[in-house]
């Protein structure tokens, strides 16, 4: 198995207890210990953060 890339938030995902899975060459979180319902409710009531650093990149020049 090849080494998976890690996003800048990888250590935080691990610290929060995320279950990590391979996705598009990255080690990505798929679920947290309190479950998807708790995650959903927290996002609706407070805020949520989605790590998009594994998605495409763009270079802008002025």
């Amino acid at each position: 198995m090849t080494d998976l890339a890690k996003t800048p938030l990888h250590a935080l995902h691990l610290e929060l207890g995320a279950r990590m899975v391979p996705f598009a060459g990255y080690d990505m979180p798929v679920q947290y210990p309190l479950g998807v319902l708790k995650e959903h409710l927290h996002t609706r009531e407070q805020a949520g953060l989605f790590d998009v650093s594994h998605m495409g990149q763009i270079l802008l020049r002025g």
Side-chain angles (χ1 to χ4, degrees):
M1 183 174 166
T2 62
D3 290 330
L4 295 171
K6 294 173 178 60
T7 68
L9 296 177
H10 186 266
L12 178 61
H13 294 306
L14 293 178
E15 182 181 321
L16 295 173
R19 183 166 63 95
M20 306 296 282
V21 298
F23 179 79
Y26 285 83
D27 194 25
M28 295 296 294
V30 70
Q31 191 171 8
Y32 290 89
L34 296 178
V36 294
L37 180 57
K38 181 71 174 171
E39 183 179 347
H40 167 78
L41 293 174
H42 176 81
T43 300
R44 289 191 52 103
E45 296 168 2
Q46 303 293 322
L49 177 67
F50 184 74
D51 185 352
V52 297
S53 59
H54 66 287
M55 295 178 158
Q57 299 177 359
I58 186 168
L59 177 62
L60 300 175
R61 294 187 181 155

